Amino acid sequence: MAGMGIRFRLGDSAAERIADVADQIQEWEVEELAAAGRPATWPECPDHRNSHPLAPRVDGGRPVWCCPSSGRTIAGLGALG
């Protein structure tokens, strides 16, 4: 994607910066999936299939994927199977 870049705030913790970058990459991927006519739920929430993607967050000082509906932590960022 031309003209796209990564941004983060230097004052944030490393975990917050990682979650912020993951959020940006997820936005790009969801846009690409939708443009290709594919389901745009990446990564898909295992608790609510065909409903919504997971959301990157910081939980206990760790960057994680969580369910945006329940708030339940699913996996660390980089640890999805």
Side-chain angles (χ1 to χ4, degrees):
M1 298 180 121
M4 303 288 285
I6 298 287
R7 62 170 162 53
F8 58 87
R9 292 178 294 278
L10 292 174
D12 286 351
S13 70
E16 290 168 324
R17 291 191 306 258
I18 292 167
D20 190 28
V21 169
D23 184 57
Q24 293 169 65
I25 292 169
Q26 181 185 39
E27 286 180 30
W28 296 342
E29 181 62 18
V30 166
E31 288 177 17
E32 289 296 313
L33 288 168
R38 297 178 58 200
T41 53
W42 180 86
E44 185 176 46
C45 179
D47 292 345
H48 306 101
R49 299 229 180 254
N50 300 315
S51 177
H52 57 258
L54 294 172
R57 299 280 186 267
V58 175
D59 181 22
R62 295 178 32 233
V64 298
W65 289 111
C66 71
C67 171
S69 293
S70 70
R72 183 173 88 84
T73 295
I74 304 298
L77 285 177
L80 283 174

